[in-house]
Amino acid sequence: MEDCIFCKISSGQISSEILYRDDHVFVIRDIAPKAPTHLLVIPLSHVTRVADLETDDSPMIAAMFEAVTAMVLREDVGNTGYRLIINQGVDAGQVVDHLHMHILAGKKLPEMG
Ligand code: AMP
């Protein structure tokens, strides 16, 4: 999608270090990290909301979690733990309207509340 920052990164229009890429997703470091490890797992295709996902998207959904496993190994945070977050909509603070999963780790994360 034309004005989408994550689409521009995936197509190379905006340069960013791609830590991981497969046929469905890619991973970058968050530009404003909230933890020592703060990664974003992003589908290559432009999907805005979880509610827009369809049965055909199952391989992409699986790929998102495969990417999580790969990145947790790479960052070596499997033993200490990590948090996965998908913000959806205004109340959740979603600012980029392209589905993405945050991986947060590397410190004791604040309780949810
Ligand atoms: P969300 O609030 O879930 O929509 O999160 C969007 C995230 O994307 C925020 O944590 C931003 O810091 C991050 N972000 C925005 N632009 C970039 C970029 N160019 N490179 C890396 N992360 C970005």
Side-chain angles (χ1 to χ4, degrees):
M1 185 180 259
E2 240 174 59
D3 290 331
C4 171
I5 185 99
F6 291 165
C7 287
K8 285 181 177 171
I9 291 172
S10 72
S11 68
Q13 281 179 69
I14 291 179
S15 116
S16 181
E17 186 191 0
I18 308 291
L19 304 178
Y20 174 100
R21 189 178 190 121
D22 65 15
D23 290 343
H24 302 284
V25 302
F26 66 103
V27 179
I28 58 174
R29 291 195 189 280
D30 197 292
I31 204 168
K34 304 287 190 301
T37 293
H38 187 171
L39 310 180
L40 301 172
V41 181
I42 306 169
L44 292 171
S45 60
H46 185 90
V47 179
T48 302
R49 288 175 292 267
V50 168
D52 296 332
L53 292 169
E54 297 176 354
T55 308
D56 285 355
D57 293 313
S58 295
M60 180 266 277
I61 297 163
M64 289 184 79
F65 286 96
E66 286 163 14
V68 168
T69 301
M71 299 319 295
V72 163
L73 272 174
R74 178 193 155 124
E75 298 285 310
D76 195 19
V77 294
N79 288 333
T80 42
Y82 55 94
R83 181 172 291 161
L84 305 178
I85 295 174
I86 299 178
N87 290 320
Q88 293 284 273
V90 176
D91 280 0
Q94 183 178 8
V95 293
V96 178
D97 287 335
H98 179 135
L99 183 68
H100 53 280
M101 186 188 292
H102 298 252
I103 305 174
L104 292 155
K107 71 172 188 181
K108 181 84 176 160
L109 297 164
E111 282 185 25
M112 306 282 287

PDB file of all heavy atoms in Angstrom, residues 23-51:
ATOM      1  N   ASP A  23       8.906 -16.112   3.021  1.00  0.00           N
ATOM      2  CA  ASP A  23       7.946 -15.811   1.949  1.00  0.00           C
ATOM      3  C   ASP A  23       6.748 -15.003   2.439  1.00  0.00           C
ATOM      4  O   ASP A  23       5.954 -14.507   1.630  1.00  0.00           O
ATOM      5  CB  ASP A  23       7.424 -17.111   1.324  1.00  0.00           C
ATOM      6  CG  ASP A  23       8.498 -17.814   0.523  1.00  0.00           C
ATOM      7  OD1 ASP A  23       9.512 -17.171   0.191  1.00  0.00           O
ATOM      8  OD2 ASP A  23       8.324 -19.021   0.243  1.00  0.00           O
ATOM      9  N   HIS A  24       6.576 -14.895   3.753  1.00  0.00           N
ATOM     10  CA  HIS A  24       5.352 -14.279   4.288  1.00  0.00           C
ATOM     11  C   HIS A  24       5.586 -13.073   5.184  1.00  0.00           C
ATOM     12  O   HIS A  24       4.728 -12.195   5.276  1.00  0.00           O
ATOM     13  CB  HIS A  24       4.564 -15.318   5.106  1.00  0.00           C
ATOM     14  CG  HIS A  24       4.186 -16.521   4.319  1.00  0.00           C
ATOM     15  ND1 HIS A  24       3.165 -16.514   3.396  1.00  0.00           N
ATOM     16  CD2 HIS A  24       4.702 -17.781   4.303  1.00  0.00           C
ATOM     17  CE1 HIS A  24       3.060 -17.710   2.844  1.00  0.00           C
ATOM     18  NE2 HIS A  24       3.975 -18.493   3.368  1.00  0.00           N
ATOM     19  N   VAL A  25       6.709 -13.051   5.888  1.00  0.00           N
ATOM     20  CA  VAL A  25       6.925 -12.016   6.904  1.00  0.00           C
ATOM     21  C   VAL A  25       8.370 -11.521   6.881  1.00  0.00           C
ATOM     22  O   VAL A  25       9.253 -12.173   6.318  1.00  0.00           O
ATOM     23  CB  VAL A  25       6.612 -12.535   8.339  1.00  0.00           C
ATOM     24  CG1 VAL A  25       5.185 -13.044   8.438  1.00  0.00           C
ATOM     25  CG2 VAL A  25       7.607 -13.585   8.790  1.00  0.00           C
ATOM     26  N   PHE A  26       8.591 -10.376   7.531  1.00  0.00           N
ATOM     27  CA  PHE A  26       9.950  -9.925   7.779  1.00  0.00           C
ATOM     28  C   PHE A  26      10.006  -9.333   9.176  1.00  0.00           C
ATOM     29  O   PHE A  26       8.972  -9.039   9.791  1.00  0.00           O
ATOM     30  CB  PHE A  26      10.434  -8.923   6.721  1.00  0.00           C
ATOM     31  CG  PHE A  26       9.707  -7.604   6.702  1.00  0.00           C
ATOM     32  CD1 PHE A  26      10.289  -6.461   7.243  1.00  0.00           C
ATOM     33  CD2 PHE A  26       8.445  -7.483   6.142  1.00  0.00           C
ATOM     34  CE1 PHE A  26       9.638  -5.234   7.214  1.00  0.00           C
ATOM     35  CE2 PHE A  26       7.772  -6.267   6.113  1.00  0.00           C
ATOM     36  CZ  PHE A  26       8.372  -5.144   6.652  1.00  0.00           C
ATOM     37  N   VAL A  27      11.226  -9.167   9.682  1.00  0.00           N
ATOM     38  CA  VAL A  27      11.413  -8.673  11.048  1.00  0.00           C
ATOM     39  C   VAL A  27      12.428  -7.530  11.036  1.00  0.00           C
ATOM     40  O   VAL A  27      13.482  -7.630  10.396  1.00  0.00           O
ATOM     41  CB  VAL A  27      11.922  -9.793  11.980  1.00  0.00           C
ATOM     42  CG1 VAL A  27      12.140  -9.259  13.396  1.00  0.00           C
ATOM     43  CG2 VAL A  27      10.956 -10.973  12.004  1.00  0.00           C
ATOM     44  N   ILE A  28      12.065  -6.448  11.744  1.00  0.00           N
ATOM     45  CA  ILE A  28      12.986  -5.323  11.933  1.00  0.00           C
ATOM     46  C   ILE A  28      13.023  -4.956  13.416  1.00  0.00           C
ATOM     47  O   ILE A  28      12.159  -5.377  14.187  1.00  0.00           O
ATOM     48  CB  ILE A  28      12.560  -4.075  11.115  1.00  0.00           C
ATOM     49  CG1 ILE A  28      11.137  -3.631  11.494  1.00  0.00           C
ATOM     50  CG2 ILE A  28      12.667  -4.338   9.629  1.00  0.00           C
ATOM     51  CD1 ILE A  28      10.701  -2.320  10.838  1.00  0.00           C
ATOM     52  N   ARG A  29      14.020  -4.161  13.789  1.00  0.00           N
ATOM     53  CA  ARG A  29      14.034  -3.607  15.144  1.00  0.00           C
ATOM     54  C   ARG A  29      13.123  -2.384  15.188  1.00  0.00           C
ATOM     55  O   ARG A  29      13.095  -1.588  14.236  1.00  0.00           O
ATOM     56  CB  ARG A  29      15.448  -3.180  15.551  1.00  0.00           C
ATOM     57  CG  ARG A  29      16.369  -4.354  15.741  1.00  0.00           C
ATOM     58  CD  ARG A  29      17.641  -4.028  16.484  1.00  0.00           C
ATOM     59  NE  ARG A  29      18.511  -5.183  16.415  1.00  0.00           N
ATOM     60  CZ  ARG A  29      18.407  -6.265  17.188  1.00  0.00           C
ATOM     61  NH1 ARG A  29      17.477  -6.332  18.116  1.00  0.00           N
ATOM     62  NH2 ARG A  29      19.223  -7.292  17.031  1.00  0.00           N
ATOM     63  N   ASP A  30      12.385  -2.238  16.285  1.00  0.00           N
ATOM     64  CA  ASP A  30      11.535  -1.058  16.433  1.00  0.00           C
ATOM     65  C   ASP A  30      12.415   0.185  16.532  1.00  0.00           C
ATOM     66  O   ASP A  30      13.440   0.187  17.228  1.00  0.00           O
ATOM     67  CB  ASP A  30      10.647  -1.190  17.679  1.00  0.00           C
ATOM     68  CG  ASP A  30       9.486  -0.214  17.653  1.00  0.00           C
ATOM     69  OD1 ASP A  30       9.732   1.009  17.761  1.00  0.00           O
ATOM     70  OD2 ASP A  30       8.334  -0.657  17.520  1.00  0.00           O
ATOM     71  N   ILE A  31      11.997   1.230  15.854  1.00  0.00           N
ATOM     72  CA  ILE A  31      12.788   2.461  15.804  1.00  0.00           C
ATOM     73  C   ILE A  31      12.790   3.197  17.151  1.00  0.00           C
ATOM     74  O   ILE A  31      13.679   4.004  17.422  1.00  0.00           O
ATOM     75  CB  ILE A  31      12.241   3.379  14.677  1.00  0.00           C
ATOM     76  CG1 ILE A  31      13.289   4.348  14.176  1.00  0.00           C
ATOM     77  CG2 ILE A  31      10.969   4.095  15.099  1.00  0.00           C
ATOM     78  CD1 ILE A  31      12.908   5.061  12.895  1.00  0.00           C
ATOM     79  N   ALA A  32      11.812   2.910  17.993  1.00  0.00           N
ATOM     80  CA  ALA A  32      11.711   3.542  19.322  1.00  0.00           C
ATOM     81  C   ALA A  32      11.555   2.442  20.372  1.00  0.00           C
ATOM     82  O   ALA A  32      10.458   2.239  20.903  1.00  0.00           O
ATOM     83  CB  ALA A  32      10.529   4.507  19.361  1.00  0.00           C
ATOM     84  N   PRO A  33      12.644   1.726  20.641  1.00  0.00           N
ATOM     85  CA  PRO A  33      12.523   0.511  21.461  1.00  0.00           C
ATOM     86  C   PRO A  33      12.037   0.768  22.882  1.00  0.00           C
ATOM     87  O   PRO A  33      12.474   1.706  23.541  1.00  0.00           O
ATOM     88  CB  PRO A  33      13.946  -0.061  21.456  1.00  0.00           C
ATOM     89  CG  PRO A  33      14.832   1.046  21.030  1.00  0.00           C
ATOM     90  CD  PRO A  33      14.015   1.976  20.193  1.00  0.00           C
ATOM     91  N   LYS A  34      11.125  -0.085  23.339  1.00  0.00           N
ATOM     92  CA  LYS A  34      10.582  -0.012  24.703  1.00  0.00           C
ATOM     93  C   LYS A  34      11.253  -1.031  25.621  1.00  0.00           C
ATOM     94  O   LYS A  34      10.877  -1.165  26.787  1.00  0.00           O
ATOM     95  CB  LYS A  34       9.077  -0.272  24.686  1.00  0.00           C
ATOM     96  CG  LYS A  34       8.282   0.648  23.770  1.00  0.00           C
ATOM     97  CD  LYS A  34       8.181   2.055  24.350  1.00  0.00           C
ATOM     98  CE  LYS A  34       7.195   2.943  23.599  1.00  0.00           C
ATOM     99  NZ  LYS A  34       7.486   3.130  22.185  1.00  0.00           N
ATOM    100  N   ALA A  35      12.198  -1.771  25.086  1.00  0.00           N
ATOM    101  CA  ALA A  35      12.933  -2.782  25.851  1.00  0.00           C
ATOM    102  C   ALA A  35      14.228  -3.045  25.098  1.00  0.00           C
ATOM    103  O   ALA A  35      14.342  -2.704  23.916  1.00  0.00           O
ATOM    104  CB  ALA A  35      12.098  -4.061  25.968  1.00  0.00           C
ATOM    105  N   PRO A  36      15.227  -3.650  25.770  1.00  0.00           N
ATOM    106  CA  PRO A  36      16.501  -3.915  25.091  1.00  0.00           C
ATOM    107  C   PRO A  36      16.316  -4.697  23.780  1.00  0.00           C
ATOM    108  O   PRO A  36      17.014  -4.444  22.794  1.00  0.00           O
ATOM    109  CB  PRO A  36      17.283  -4.720  26.132  1.00  0.00           C
ATOM    110  CG  PRO A  36      16.755  -4.213  27.442  1.00  0.00           C
ATOM    111  CD  PRO A  36      15.286  -3.971  27.209  1.00  0.00           C
ATOM    112  N   THR A  37      15.406  -5.651  23.790  1.00  0.00           N
ATOM    113  CA  THR A  37      15.012  -6.304  22.540  1.00  0.00           C
ATOM    114  C   THR A  37      13.590  -5.860  22.219  1.00  0.00           C
ATOM    115  O   THR A  37      12.665  -6.088  23.010  1.00  0.00           O
ATOM    116  CB  THR A  37      15.041  -7.847  22.665  1.00  0.00           C
ATOM    117  OG1 THR A  37      16.403  -8.260  22.827  1.00  0.00           O
ATOM    118  CG2 THR A  37      14.454  -8.517  21.438  1.00  0.00           C
ATOM    119  N   HIS A  38      13.429  -5.173  21.123  1.00  0.00           N
ATOM    120  CA  HIS A  38      12.091  -4.760  20.678  1.00  0.00           C
ATOM    121  C   HIS A  38      12.051  -4.912  19.164  1.00  0.00           C
ATOM    122  O   HIS A  38      12.589  -4.085  18.421  1.00  0.00           O
ATOM    123  CB  HIS A  38      11.790  -3.318  21.089  1.00  0.00           C
ATOM    124  CG  HIS A  38      10.373  -2.901  20.795  1.00  0.00           C
ATOM    125  ND1 HIS A  38       9.846  -1.712  21.242  1.00  0.00           N
ATOM    126  CD2 HIS A  38       9.365  -3.507  20.105  1.00  0.00           C
ATOM    127  CE1 HIS A  38       8.575  -1.608  20.853  1.00  0.00           C
ATOM    128  NE2 HIS A  38       8.266  -2.684  20.148  1.00  0.00           N
ATOM    129  N   LEU A  39      11.435  -6.016  18.745  1.00  0.00           N
ATOM    130  CA  LEU A  39      11.381  -6.355  17.325  1.00  0.00           C
ATOM    131  C   LEU A  39       9.945  -6.296  16.830  1.00  0.00           C
ATOM    132  O   LEU A  39       8.993  -6.412  17.617  1.00  0.00           O
ATOM    133  CB  LEU A  39      11.935  -7.772  17.099  1.00  0.00           C
ATOM    134  CG  LEU A  39      13.298  -8.090  17.719  1.00  0.00           C
ATOM    135  CD1 LEU A  39      13.687  -9.533  17.403  1.00  0.00           C
ATOM    136  CD2 LEU A  39      14.363  -7.133  17.207  1.00  0.00           C
ATOM    137  N   LEU A  40       9.804  -6.141  15.527  1.00  0.00           N
ATOM    138  CA  LEU A  40       8.484  -6.137  14.904  1.00  0.00           C
ATOM    139  C   LEU A  40       8.444  -7.225  13.844  1.00  0.00           C
ATOM    140  O   LEU A  40       9.298  -7.257  12.949  1.00  0.00           O
ATOM    141  CB  LEU A  40       8.213  -4.786  14.240  1.00  0.00           C
ATOM    142  CG  LEU A  40       8.264  -3.549  15.152  1.00  0.00           C
ATOM    143  CD1 LEU A  40       8.177  -2.271  14.323  1.00  0.00           C
ATOM    144  CD2 LEU A  40       7.151  -3.598  16.199  1.00  0.00           C
ATOM    145  N   VAL A  41       7.482  -8.123  13.978  1.00  0.00           N
ATOM    146  CA  VAL A  41       7.254  -9.176  12.985  1.00  0.00           C
ATOM    147  C   VAL A  41       6.109  -8.696  12.098  1.00  0.00           C
ATOM    148  O   VAL A  41       4.999  -8.452  12.588  1.00  0.00           O
ATOM    149  CB  VAL A  41       6.884 -10.509  13.659  1.00  0.00           C
ATOM    150  CG1 VAL A  41       6.670 -11.592  12.605  1.00  0.00           C
ATOM    151  CG2 VAL A  41       7.950 -10.918  14.662  1.00  0.00           C
ATOM    152  N   ILE A  42       6.393  -8.547  10.816  1.00  0.00           N
ATOM    153  CA  ILE A  42       5.477  -7.826   9.921  1.00  0.00           C
ATOM    154  C   ILE A  42       5.160  -8.680   8.690  1.00  0.00           C
ATOM    155  O   ILE A  42       6.074  -9.126   7.991  1.00  0.00           O
ATOM    156  CB  ILE A  42       6.136  -6.503   9.465  1.00  0.00           C
ATOM    157  CG1 ILE A  42       6.581  -5.677  10.688  1.00  0.00           C
ATOM    158  CG2 ILE A  42       5.190  -5.714   8.582  1.00  0.00           C
ATOM    159  CD1 ILE A  42       7.467  -4.480  10.342  1.00  0.00           C
ATOM    160  N   PRO A  43       3.875  -8.897   8.409  1.00  0.00           N
ATOM    161  CA  PRO A  43       3.536  -9.611   7.178  1.00  0.00           C
ATOM    162  C   PRO A  43       3.954  -8.816   5.947  1.00  0.00           C
ATOM    163  O   PRO A  43       3.890  -7.572   5.958  1.00  0.00           O
ATOM    164  CB  PRO A  43       2.003  -9.723   7.232  1.00  0.00           C
ATOM    165  CG  PRO A  43       1.620  -9.454   8.638  1.00  0.00           C
ATOM    166  CD  PRO A  43       2.692  -8.560   9.206  1.00  0.00           C
ATOM    167  N   LEU A  44       4.390  -9.509   4.900  1.00  0.00           N
ATOM    168  CA  LEU A  44       4.740  -8.817   3.653  1.00  0.00           C
ATOM    169  C   LEU A  44       3.501  -8.217   3.008  1.00  0.00           C
ATOM    170  O   LEU A  44       3.553  -7.141   2.411  1.00  0.00           O
ATOM    171  CB  LEU A  44       5.408  -9.798   2.677  1.00  0.00           C
ATOM    172  CG  LEU A  44       6.798 -10.295   3.090  1.00  0.00           C
ATOM    173  CD1 LEU A  44       7.245 -11.427   2.172  1.00  0.00           C
ATOM    174  CD2 LEU A  44       7.808  -9.158   3.049  1.00  0.00           C
ATOM    175  N   SER A  45       2.368  -8.916   3.131  1.00  0.00           N
ATOM    176  CA  SER A  45       1.141  -8.385   2.528  1.00  0.00           C
ATOM    177  C   SER A  45       0.495  -7.385   3.483  1.00  0.00           C
ATOM    178  O   SER A  45       0.589  -7.522   4.710  1.00  0.00           O
ATOM    179  CB  SER A  45       0.169  -9.513   2.187  1.00  0.00           C
ATOM    180  OG  SER A  45      -0.167 -10.216   3.345  1.00  0.00           O
ATOM    181  N   HIS A  46      -0.159  -6.395   2.915  1.00  0.00           N
ATOM    182  CA  HIS A  46      -0.744  -5.330   3.738  1.00  0.00           C
ATOM    183  C   HIS A  46      -2.093  -5.788   4.286  1.00  0.00           C
ATOM    184  O   HIS A  46      -3.089  -5.790   3.572  1.00  0.00           O
ATOM    185  CB  HIS A  46      -0.898  -4.040   2.935  1.00  0.00           C
ATOM    186  CG  HIS A  46      -1.378  -2.905   3.780  1.00  0.00           C
ATOM    187  ND1 HIS A  46      -0.521  -2.054   4.440  1.00  0.00           N
ATOM    188  CD2 HIS A  46      -2.628  -2.517   4.125  1.00  0.00           C
ATOM    189  CE1 HIS A  46      -1.219  -1.173   5.123  1.00  0.00           C
ATOM    190  NE2 HIS A  46      -2.507  -1.431   4.964  1.00  0.00           N
ATOM    191  N   VAL A  47      -2.085  -6.148   5.559  1.00  0.00           N
ATOM    192  CA  VAL A  47      -3.317  -6.463   6.284  1.00  0.00           C
ATOM    193  C   VAL A  47      -3.370  -5.472   7.433  1.00  0.00           C
ATOM    194  O   VAL A  47      -2.355  -5.245   8.099  1.00  0.00           O
ATOM    195  CB  VAL A  47      -3.265  -7.901   6.864  1.00  0.00           C
ATOM    196  CG1 VAL A  47      -4.531  -8.218   7.634  1.00  0.00           C
ATOM    197  CG2 VAL A  47      -3.033  -8.918   5.763  1.00  0.00           C
ATOM    198  N   THR A  48      -4.521  -4.861   7.659  1.00  0.00           N
ATOM    199  CA  THR A  48      -4.596  -3.859   8.720  1.00  0.00           C
ATOM    200  C   THR A  48      -4.932  -4.483  10.062  1.00  0.00           C
ATOM    201  O   THR A  48      -4.281  -4.230  11.072  1.00  0.00           O
ATOM    202  CB  THR A  48      -5.655  -2.788   8.372  1.00  0.00           C
ATOM    203  OG1 THR A  48      -5.292  -2.200   7.129  1.00  0.00           O
ATOM    204  CG2 THR A  48      -5.705  -1.700   9.436  1.00  0.00           C
ATOM    205  N   ARG A  49      -5.953  -5.330  10.057  1.00  0.00           N
ATOM    206  CA  ARG A  49      -6.475  -5.830  11.336  1.00  0.00           C
ATOM    207  C   ARG A  49      -6.525  -7.348  11.367  1.00  0.00           C
ATOM    208  O   ARG A  49      -6.697  -7.993  10.315  1.00  0.00           O
ATOM    209  CB  ARG A  49      -7.897  -5.310  11.548  1.00  0.00           C
ATOM    210  CG  ARG A  49      -7.989  -3.838  11.861  1.00  0.00           C
ATOM    211  CD  ARG A  49      -9.436  -3.413  11.936  1.00  0.00           C
ATOM    212  NE  ARG A  49     -10.049  -3.475  10.606  1.00  0.00           N
ATOM    213  CZ  ARG A  49     -10.101  -2.424   9.773  1.00  0.00           C
ATOM    214  NH1 ARG A  49      -9.595  -1.270  10.135  1.00  0.00           N
ATOM    215  NH2 ARG A  49     -10.655  -2.548   8.589  1.00  0.00           N
ATOM    216  N   VAL A  50      -6.466  -7.875  12.562  1.00  0.00           N
ATOM    217  CA  VAL A  50      -6.663  -9.312  12.760  1.00  0.00           C
ATOM    218  C   VAL A  50      -8.006  -9.721  12.162  1.00  0.00           C
ATOM    219  O   VAL A  50      -8.135 -10.787  11.538  1.00  0.00           O
ATOM    220  CB  VAL A  50      -6.600  -9.668  14.267  1.00  0.00           C
ATOM    221  CG1 VAL A  50      -7.077 -11.081  14.525  1.00  0.00           C
ATOM    222  CG2 VAL A  50      -5.180  -9.466  14.801  1.00  0.00           C
ATOM    223  N   ALA A  51      -9.016  -8.849  12.333  1.00  0.00           N
ATOM    224  CA  ALA A  51     -10.362  -9.165  11.847  1.00  0.00           C
ATOM    225  C   ALA A  51     -10.417  -9.301  10.323  1.00  0.00           C
ATOM    226  O   ALA A  51     -11.368  -9.877   9.782  1.00  0.00           O
ATOM    227  CB  ALA A  51     -11.354  -8.104  12.315  1.00  0.00           C
TER     228      ALA A  51
END
